[in-house]
C-alpha cells in the first residue's frame, strides 16, 4: 500500500467495490479501497442476492436496470463466478388499487426504456411459478431481467475487475480517523497514514461513524431484516425450470429458489432499528437470532402464498441488518461543506442498486457531474434537519415498514412531520388548511370546507378535486392568499455580486427594482436551476426557488463562490404570502403605505404593508396578476391578518399549492423535478429563449452554444390536452404516435380547472411535436386519446399577469 493516492474508498462491501471498479474503468487508476476485515464482511455477505427492476421511483428503476445489465459483464471481466440465475421475476397485485398501480408502472417502465416486462393474469403467473397459490391475486407483472446472484462472489468480482483495471484494494486495514487538509485528507489507518484528495464513505453499516470522522451526521440507520431458506421442496426439485424471483407486495414477502428449496424474505411491518449510531467496530459476520414474534403475520401470508413450504423444514434463518435513509434511496455525491468527501452509503439494495451508484459517483468525481439526473439519491436532498436522531428513526422506520405497502400520490405520511411550521400555521389550520410537507416544512395543499372532510387515497382524481377547483376560481376571478414560506430565498451581497451572478446565471440580471427568471446551468450546459432573481436596488440581490432544493442549491453556490461575494440562505428567517388574482392589486393598494398603482409585472420593492416591513415582487407562477410578499418570520401572522382583512370585501380566499399547480400548468410554466431536471438542456425545455447569448461568459456557455449550433435536441417540451377521464397524468407516462411508436413521455400533468381540461407537459420527438398532432397516452395504465396544443391554454398572450 502506498502512502498517497488520489482516492481512498472506505469499505469493501458491494458499494465500495463498485465505486472502485467504476473509478478505474473511467480512468482514475490511482485509487485504493480499504476494508477493515474481508471483502463483503458488512451487510453484503448475508444479503438474499435478489435483483429486480421494479421500483416506485422511475430514476431508481433505471439505476437498477443498469446494475442488472452490468452484473454479467463484471463476471466476465473479473473471471469470478457470481452465480447469476436470471430466472425472471413476478410482482403480484393483491388489491384492485395495486393492480391499477402495477398497470400504471408497467407503462412508466416503457417510458424509461425498461421494455422486458409483461402483464399477466393470475393463471399465467401461476404457470410461471407453480409452487405459488394465486388466491387473492388480481394480476402480475413479469420482468425478464430479474433473478439472484451469489453475494460474496459478486463483491469479489467487482473488486477483482477493478484490480485488473489498475485499482488497488487491501483487506484487514481499518480507517480510524480522517483529517481535512488544505488540499485533501489524511486518512489514518491501522497500517499507517494515507494522503489523498478524495475520500469515499462506502462504509455500509458503519457509515454513520465514518461520517462522524469528518464531522458529518448522515441521515442513515441500520434496520434488521429476516429471510429464511427451506429444505428441499419436491415440487421445486422436480421442476424442469427454476422458480422466478417473486414479490408478493400484499404479503410483504419476496421469494426466490435456493438450490431445491426457496428463500423467503420478509419486510416486517413491526420493524426494528439496530445500532443507530453505527454498528459496533467488533461486529463481524454474526447474525441476530430470528424474532418470530415480529414476523408471525407476514410468515403466515407467506405460507398461504407458497403452501409447499409448510411441508418442509426451515434450513436457515437469517436476521441481519442493512442501512436506510429517510426515503429509502441511497445517499450519494459530494457532502455539502466538506470538499473532497463523497458519500456512497445508505444503499438499501446494494446488489441491485450498487452498480448504478458506483457509476454515478465515479462520473461525479471525474466529470464534475453525473450523466443522469441523480437528484433522487443526492446526499444534498436533505438539510441539517435530517441529522436529528428521532427524525431518522421515524422516517427510516416508516420507509422500512411501508416497503411493500401501497403508496398514493395524495397520501400524507406521519413520520418526521410537524417539525417546522410557518408562524401562521395554527391560524391556517383553524381555517381548514390541509398540509403536505416540503423538506422539513409543512406546506398548505388546500383548505377543506369542514373539519370532517376526509380526502380519500387514490391514484386518480381525489374528492378534493372540487375544493381545488374553487381555489383556482379565486385565483382566476377574485383574490387568493397563499402561504409561500415554502419558497427558498438566498441573499447575495458584496461589491462583486453582479459579476458573480453574471457567471452563474445564463440569463440577464434584473435591473434595480426588477425581477427576472434566472436560468442556471452546469458546466456541461444542462439545467441546474430555474430560479427567480430579484434586484432590490441597494446592491442586494435575492435568488428565489424551490424550498426543498435549499441545501442542493447552496452546495452549488458555495462550490462556485468567488470574488469575495457573500451568500446567505434566508429560509429560516423569511417567509411570506402570495396575493394572487385580478383583484389582488386593489387589495394591496388598500394596505400598502405608498402608492403601488404603478407596480408593474416583474417589479420588486421594499414596502410597508400595514405594520409589516416587507419585500414585494409582482410575480406569480399562476399566470395571474400576483404579488409575492416576503416578511420576517415574526411578522407572518400579522401579514396574513392584514391581507385577509383588506381582502374581505372581495371575498378573499386562502388557497394551497394544489391550486397553484393546476393554474401553472394552464400557463405551460415548467417546474423543477418535472419539466426541469439536471439531465435536460435549455433547448429541450425551451429555456434557451431566456439565455443571454451576448454575455461574455457564464457557466455552461460553450456547451450551450454547441447545442444551439448542433442538430437540435432529441426531444422537446410540448403541452398536451388529454381526453377527459377520471385521472390526470402525473409524470413519466408514455406517449404514443398514431402509428403506435413511443415518441415521448409526460413530465407533469394536472387538471386545468379554468380551461376545464386534463393537461400535461411532455417531452416529445420534434418530428411529432407540431400543434394538432394526435397521440395517445397511458394515464394510470389506461390508454387515452390526446393532442398537442399551443402552449399556455389559459391566456396565451399573458395579458392577465400584466394588467
Ligand atoms: C437479510 C438481508 C437481505 C438482503 N437482501 C438483499 C437483496 O436481496 N438484494 C440486494 O440488493 N440487497 C439486499 N440486502 C441489502 C444489501 O446487503 C446491502 O444493500 C449491501 O450489502 C450494502 O452494501 P455496502 O457496501 O453499502 O455496505 P456493507 O456491506 O456493510 O459494506 C461496508 C464495508 O465497509 C467496511 N468498513 C466499514 N468501516 C470501515 C472502516 N472504518 N475502515 C475499513 N473498512 C470499513 C465494513 O467492514 C464492510 O465490509 C439485504 C440485506 C440483508 C441484511
Amino acid at each position: 500500500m502506498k502512502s498517497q493516492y488520489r482516492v481512498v474508498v472506505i469499505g469493501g462491501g458491494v458499494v465500495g467495490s463498485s465505486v472502485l471498479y467504476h473509478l478505474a474503468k473511467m480512468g482514475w487508476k490511482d485509487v485504493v479501497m480499504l476494508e477493515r476485515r474481508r471483502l463483503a464482511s458488512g451487510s453484503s455477505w448475508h444479503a438474499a442476492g435478489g435483483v429486480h427492476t421494479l421500483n416506485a421511483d422511475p430514476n431508481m428503476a433505471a439505476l437498477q436496470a443498469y446494475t442488472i445489465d452490468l452484473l454479467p459483464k463484471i463476471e466476465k471481466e473479473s473471471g469470478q463466478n457470481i452465480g447469476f440465475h436470471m430466472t425472471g421475476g413476478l410482482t403480484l397485485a393483491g388489491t384492485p388499487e395495486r393492480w391499477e398501480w402495477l398497470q400504471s408502472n408497467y407503462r412508466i417502465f416503457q417510458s424509461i426504456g425498461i421494455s422486458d416486462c409483461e402483464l399477466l393474469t393470475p393463471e399465467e403467473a401461476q404457470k410461471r411459478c407453480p409452487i405459488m397459490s394465486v388466491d387473492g391475486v388480481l394480476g402480475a407483472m413479469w420482468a425478464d431481467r430479474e433473478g439472484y446472484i451469489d453475494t460474496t462472489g459478486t463483491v469479489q468480482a467487482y473488486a477483482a475487475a477493478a484490480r485488473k483495471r489498475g485499482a488497488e484494494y487491501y483487506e484487514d486495514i481499518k480507517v480510524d480517523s480522517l483529517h481535512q487538509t488544505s488540499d485533501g485528507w489524511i486518512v489514518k489507518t491501522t497500517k499507517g497514514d494515507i494522503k489523498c484528495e478524495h475520500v469515499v464513505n462506502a462504509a455500509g453499516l458503519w457509515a454513520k461513524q465514518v461520517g462522524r470522522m469528518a464531522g458529518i451526521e448522515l441521515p442513515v440507520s441500520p434496520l434488521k431484516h429476516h429471510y429464511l431458506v427451506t429444505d428441499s421442496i419436491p415440487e421445486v426439485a422436480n421442476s424442469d425450470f427454476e422458480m422466478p424471483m417473486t414479490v408478493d407486495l400484499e404479503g410483504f414477502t419476496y421469494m426466490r429458489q435456493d438450490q431445491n428449496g426457496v428463500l423467503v424474505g420478509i419486510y416486517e411491518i413491526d420493524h426494528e432499528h439496530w445500532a443507530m449510531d453505527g454498528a459496533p467496530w467488533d461486529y463481524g459476520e454474526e447474525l441476530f437470532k430470528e424474532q418470530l414474534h415480529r414476523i408471525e403475520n407476514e410468515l403466515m401470508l407467506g405460507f398461504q402464498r407458497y403452501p409447499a413450504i409448510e411441508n418442509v423444514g426451515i434450513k436457515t434463518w437469517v436476521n441481519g441488518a442493512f442501512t436506510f435513509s429517510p426515503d429509502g434511496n441511497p445517499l450519494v455525491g459530494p457532502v455539502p461543506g466538506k470538499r473532497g468527501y463523497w458519500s456512497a452509503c445508505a444503499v438499501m439494495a446494494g446488489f441491485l442498486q450498487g452498480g448504478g451508484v458506483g457509476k454515478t459517483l465515479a462520473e461525479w468525481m471525474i466529470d464534475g457531474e453525473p450523466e443522469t439526473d441523480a437528484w433522487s439519491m443526492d446526499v444534498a436532498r436533505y438539510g441539517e434537519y435530517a441529522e436529528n436522531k428521532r427524525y431518522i428513526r421515524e422516517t427510516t422506520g416508516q420507509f422500512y415498514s411501508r416497503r411493500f405497502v401501497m403508496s398514493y400520490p395524495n397520501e400524507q405520511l406521519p413520520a418526521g412531520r410537524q417539525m417546522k411550521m410557518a408562524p401562521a400555521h395554527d391560524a391556517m389550520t383553524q381555517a381548514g388548511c390541509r398540509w403536505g410537507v416540503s423538506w422539513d416544512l409543512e406546506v398548505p395543499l388546500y383548505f377543506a370546507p369542514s373539519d370532517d372532510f376526509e380526502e380519500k387515497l387514490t391514484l386518480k382524481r381525489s374528492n378534493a378535486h372540487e375544493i381545488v377547483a374553487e381555489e383556482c376560481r379565486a385565483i382566476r376571478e377574485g383574490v387568493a392568499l397563499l402561504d409561500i414560506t415554502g419558497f427558498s430565498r438566498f441573499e447575495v451581497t458584496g461589491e462583486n455580486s453582479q459579476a458573480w451572478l453574471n457567471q452563474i446565471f445564463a440569463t440577464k440580471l434584473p435591473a434595480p427594482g426588477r425581477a427576472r427568471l434566472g436560468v442556471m446551468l452546469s458546466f456541461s450546459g444542462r439545467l441546474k436551476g430555474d430560479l427567480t432573481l430579484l434586484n432590490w436596488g441597494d446592491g442586494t440581490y435575492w435568488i428565489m426557488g424551490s424550498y426543498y432544493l435549499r441545501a442542493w442549491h447552496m452546495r452549488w453556490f458555495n462550490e462556485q463562490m468567488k470574488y469575495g461575494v457573500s451568500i446567505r440562505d434566508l429560509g429560516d428567517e423569511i417567509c411570506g404570502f402570495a396575493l394572487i388574482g385580478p383583484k389582488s392589486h386593489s387589495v394591496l393598494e388598500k394596505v400598502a403605505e405608498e402608492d403601488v398603482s404603478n407596480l408593474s409585472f416583474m417589479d420588486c420593492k421594499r414596502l410597508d404593508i400595514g405594520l409589516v416591513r416587507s419585500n414585494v415582487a409582482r410575480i406569480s407562477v399562476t399566470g395571474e396578476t400576483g404579488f409575492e410578499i416576503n416578511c420576517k418570520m415574526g411578522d407572518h401572522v400579522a401579514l396574513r391578518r392584514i391581507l385577509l382583512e383588506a381582502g374581505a370585501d372581495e371575498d378573499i380566499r386562502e388557497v394551497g399549492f394544489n391550486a397553484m399547480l393546476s393554474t401553472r400548468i394552464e400557463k405551460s410554466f415548467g417546474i423543477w423535478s418535472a419539466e426541469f431536471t439536471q439531465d435536460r438542456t435549455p433547448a429541450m425545455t425551451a429555456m434557451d429563449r431566456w439565455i443571454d447569448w451576448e454575455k461574455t461568459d457564464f457557466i455552461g456557455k460553450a456547451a450551450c452554444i454547441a447545442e444551439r449550433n448542433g442538430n437540435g435536441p432529441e426531444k422537446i417540451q410540448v403541452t398536451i390536452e388529454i381526453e377527459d377521464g377520471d385521472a390526470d397524468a402525473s409524470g413519466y407516462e408514455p406517449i404514443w404516435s398514431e402509428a403506435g411508436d413511443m415518441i415521448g413521455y409526460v413530465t407533469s400533468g394536472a387538471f386545468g380547472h379554468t380551461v376545464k381540461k386534463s393537461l400535461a407537459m411532455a417531452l416529445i420527438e420534434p418530428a411529432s411535436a407540431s400543434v394538432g398532432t394526435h397521440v395517445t397516452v397511458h394515464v394510470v395504465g389506461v390508454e387515452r386519446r390526446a393532442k398537442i396544443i399551443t402552449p399556455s391554454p389559459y391566456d396565451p398572450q399573458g395579458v392577465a399577469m400584466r394588467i
Side-chain angles (χ1 to χ4, degrees):
M1 183 176 82
K2 300 187 294 182
S3 60
Q4 187 162 353
Y5 290 89
R6 189 167 199 176
V7 184
V8 173
V9 179
I10 305 168
V14 65
V15 175
S17 303
S18 167
V19 169
L20 190 76
Y21 168 76
H22 282 93
L23 284 171
K25 184 179 174 195
M26 291 173 63
W28 279 18
K29 314 280 182 193
D30 187 22
V31 292
V32 67
M33 179 173 79
L34 303 179
E35 167 52 48
R36 73 189 176 107
R37 290 204 174 174
R38 278 164 306 285
L39 290 182
S41 54
S43 304
S44 295
W45 74 271
H46 56 254
V51 291
H52 56 92
T53 36
L54 188 85
N55 191 303
D57 177 340
N59 287 309
M60 294 309 293
L63 182 96
Q64 293 175 187
Y66 167 81
T67 307
I68 294 171
D69 290 344
L70 175 72
L71 288 166
K73 296 180 194 151
I74 294 293
E75 179 173 62
K76 198 161 168 223
E77 213 179 291
S78 63
Q80 160 74 45
N81 188 332
I82 65 163
F84 201 171
H85 294 242
M86 189 82 102
T87 57
L90 285 168
T91 305
L92 311 179
T95 63
E97 296 76 22
R98 178 74 79 177
W99 182 222
E100 210 167 50
W101 178 84
L102 213 49
Q103 292 174 80
S104 170
N105 269 273
Y106 165 69
R107 294 300 178 182
I108 285 171
F109 278 11
Q110 291 181 318
S111 295
I112 58 174
I114 300 175
S115 54
D116 60 342
C117 299
E118 56 183 307
L119 294 171
L120 303 180
T121 63
E123 296 69 34
E124 288 167 335
Q126 213 265 339
K127 275 196 190 122
R128 302 206 188 180
C129 183
I131 60 160
M132 168 178 80
S133 150
V134 284
D135 273 4
V137 174
L138 301 180
M141 185 165 81
W142 172 268
D144 287 343
R145 282 180 300 172
E146 300 203 356
Y148 63 96
I149 40 87
D150 163 36
T151 55
T152 304
T154 300
V155 178
Q156 285 166 347
Y158 272 122
R163 192 176 261 176
K164 275 192 174 172
R165 287 181 179 268
E168 296 174 29
Y169 71 85
Y170 298 94
E171 296 177 301
D172 291 318
I173 300 182
K174 173 173 171 271
V175 171
D176 280 330
S177 62
L178 296 170
H179 304 269
Q180 194 164 19
T181 63
S182 57
D183 57 352
W185 295 86
I186 302 290
V187 181
K188 291 202 174 286
T189 81
T190 43
K191 304 238 168 103
D193 294 359
I194 301 175
K195 197 171 175 313
C196 64
E197 268 176 62
H198 306 273
V199 288
V200 178
N201 178 350
L205 290 173
W206 296 265
K208 193 89 183 176
Q209 291 101 310
V210 173
R212 286 178 179 162
M213 287 179 192
I216 298 159
E217 281 295 329
L218 289 164
V220 58
S221 173
L223 280 113
K224 291 181 180 173
H225 178 69
H226 282 91
Y227 67 76
L228 60 88
V229 182
T230 70
D231 288 332
S232 176
I233 299 173
E235 293 90 325
V236 174
N238 297 331
S239 171
D240 53 9
F241 61 89
E242 240 188 310
M243 295 304 120
M245 169 95 199
T246 302
V247 176
D248 178 10
L249 294 166
E250 271 63 52
F252 315 105
T253 61
Y254 57 89
M255 185 281 296
R256 69 162 172 86
Q257 186 164 333
D258 192 279
Q259 298 179 8
N260 286 331
V262 294
L263 177 157
V264 180
I266 298 146
Y267 271 98
E268 308 90 339
I269 296 289
D270 182 10
H271 64 256
E272 191 171 300
H273 286 87
W274 176 70
M276 280 200 70
D277 286 322
W281 287 117
D282 60 0
Y283 179 76
E285 290 167 19
E286 51 271 38
L287 293 169
F288 313 110
K289 171 117 186 70
E290 62 272 20
Q291 298 165 295
L292 296 180
H293 64 279
R294 287 205 295 121
I295 53 173
E296 254 170 88
N297 181 43
E298 294 86 337
L299 214 50
M300 206 179 68
L301 295 173
F303 287 166
Q304 285 167 5
R305 181 64 64 221
Y306 311 105
I309 304 179
E310 285 207 79
N311 306 325
V312 297
I314 292 172
K315 191 165 68 180
T316 318
W317 274 106
V318 170
N319 182 13
F322 59 137
T323 49
F324 290 81
S325 72
D327 62 8
N329 284 351
L331 297 171
V332 179
V335 173
K338 292 281 165 195
R339 197 168 34 81
Y341 188 103
W342 301 81
S343 173
C345 47
V347 187
M348 162 193 72
F351 293 91
L352 66 128
Q353 297 173 342
V357 166
K359 172 179 179 281
T360 304
L361 192 76
E363 287 167 353
W364 215 326
M365 294 176 75
I366 295 172
D367 302 333
E369 61 186 304
E371 188 190 337
T372 48
D373 179 15
W375 164 254
S376 49
M377 59 174 148
D378 194 327
V379 64
R381 71 186 182 280
Y382 290 105
E384 258 178 46
Y385 68 91
E387 296 176 3
N388 177 286
K389 197 164 182 174
R390 177 156 171 191
Y391 178 83
I392 298 170
R393 187 170 57 244
E394 281 186 15
T395 51
T396 54
Q398 174 175 274
F399 176 83
Y400 186 93
S401 288
R402 295 183 54 87
R403 175 92 169 95
F404 283 0
V405 174
M406 174 93 185
S407 285
Y408 296 87
N410 65 335
E411 189 166 16
Q412 294 300 319
L413 299 176
R417 294 296 298 272
Q418 303 260 318
M419 187 194 305
K420 183 176 168 192
M421 288 162 284
H425 174 274
D426 288 356
M428 290 168 67
T429 304
Q430 275 176 20
C433 187
R434 298 296 164 93
W435 300 92
V437 68
S438 171
W439 228 44
D440 57 349
L441 177 74
E442 297 292 312
V443 291
L445 299 178
Y446 59 87
F447 285 72
S450 63
D451 287 351
D452 55 7
F453 173 79
E454 215 178 288
E455 187 174 357
K456 305 264 182 318
L457 299 180
T458 176
L459 297 173
K460 300 181 174 173
R461 273 178 212 150
S462 88
N463 53 334
H465 189 72
E466 286 308 318
I467 300 173
V468 177
E470 286 300 315
E471 294 187 4
C472 291
R473 193 166 305 133
I475 290 174
R476 294 278 185 242
E477 295 174 12
V479 55
L481 191 68
L482 171 69
D483 167 26
I484 53 164
T485 306
F487 288 172
S488 71
R489 299 154 174 94
F490 300 93
E491 182 192 66
V492 183
T493 49
E495 55 181 290
N496 296 321
S497 301
Q498 214 174 320
W500 181 70
L501 288 167
N502 258 322
Q503 267 283 301
I504 64 160
F505 284 96
T507 34
K508 276 201 175 74
L509 300 189
R514 297 284 292 164
R516 225 174 214 286
L517 175 70
V519 179
M520 205 160 62
L521 303 177
S522 70
F523 287 97
S524 65
R526 294 183 296 169
L527 300 180
K528 200 77 196 173
D530 60 330
L531 298 143
T532 305
L533 283 164
L534 302 114
N535 181 344
W536 296 111
D538 61 357
T540 309
Y541 287 86
W542 275 17
I543 304 171
M544 287 184 70
S546 303
Y547 187 88
Y548 69 97
L549 300 171
R550 275 171 65 185
W552 185 74
H553 274 140
M554 198 61 177
R555 180 179 66 192
W556 176 251
F557 296 144
N558 281 331
E559 280 170 4
Q560 308 312 325
M561 190 43 71
K562 49 183 167 180
Y563 310 139
V565 169
S566 142
I567 183 156
R568 214 157 59 85
D569 180 349
L570 303 177
D572 295 327
E573 293 168 39
I574 304 290
C575 56
F577 282 98
L579 192 63
I580 321 159
K583 296 179 180 164
S584 59
H585 210 147
S586 59
V587 171
L588 187 72
E589 280 175 14
K590 280 192 198 172
V591 285
E593 286 297 311
E594 60 186 276
D595 179 17
V596 290
S597 57
N598 287 334
L599 204 60
S600 308
F601 180 55
M602 299 307 262
D603 277 351
C604 68
K605 70 186 306 185
R606 296 192 201 276
L607 206 59
D608 287 343
I609 296 189
L611 291 173
V612 173
R613 302 228 67 198
S614 68
N615 283 37
V616 177
R618 188 178 155 178
I619 40 181
S620 175
V621 74
T622 60
E624 211 57 58
T625 296
F627 302 86
E628 290 180 358
I629 307 171
N630 304 281
C631 66
K632 291 209 173 102
M633 287 283 178
D635 293 336
H636 197 231
V637 174
L639 181 63
R640 174 175 177 272
R641 193 189 58 236
I642 292 165
L643 295 171
L644 285 179
E645 282 172 7
D649 292 346
E650 309 289 358
D651 285 336
I652 190 168
R653 180 175 182 134
E654 285 193 275
V655 301
F657 278 96
N658 288 4
M660 197 195 84
L661 289 174
S662 163
T663 47
R664 74 93 198 170
I665 208 159
E666 292 178 324
K667 288 295 301 163
S668 300
F669 288 159
I671 51 172
W672 197 262
S673 289
E675 284 66 46
F676 309 134
T677 61
Q678 295 175 82
D679 52 357
R680 298 186 188 145
T681 62
M684 281 173 93
T685 52
M687 289 296 245
D688 51 352
R689 68 202 142 126
W690 307 110
I691 286 177
D692 179 8
W693 301 100
E694 307 306 318
K695 232 199 256 194
T696 348
D697 199 19
F698 56 81
I699 292 173
K701 184 172 182 189
C704 234
I705 289 177
E707 180 179 48
R708 188 175 61 163
N709 297 339
N711 297 328
E714 282 176 12
K715 294 208 166 60
I716 55 170
Q717 194 79 59
V718 295
T719 303
I720 61 174
E721 179 189 319
I722 304 170
E723 193 178 64
D724 205 13
D726 57 357
D728 302 297
S730 56
Y732 287 107
E733 292 89 347
I735 297 174
W736 311 87
S737 71
E738 286 195 309
D741 298 320
M742 196 171 72
I743 50 167
Y745 59 91
V746 170
T747 51
S748 68
F751 189 76
H753 286 281
T754 318
V755 299
K756 303 210 174 350
K757 286 182 175 141
S758 184
L759 301 172
M761 293 177 75
L763 281 170
I764 279 200
E765 290 169 7
S768 311
S770 20
V771 169
T773 306
H774 288 273
V775 295
T776 55
V777 55
H778 280 92
V779 178
V780 194
V782 177
E783 185 175 294
R784 302 249 298 269
R785 286 163 53 79
K787 71 169 182 224
I788 297 168
I789 58 169
T790 310
S792 187
Y794 172 75
D795 185 22
Q797 306 305 322
V799 178
M801 57 193 178
R802 291 184 173 83
I803 289 171

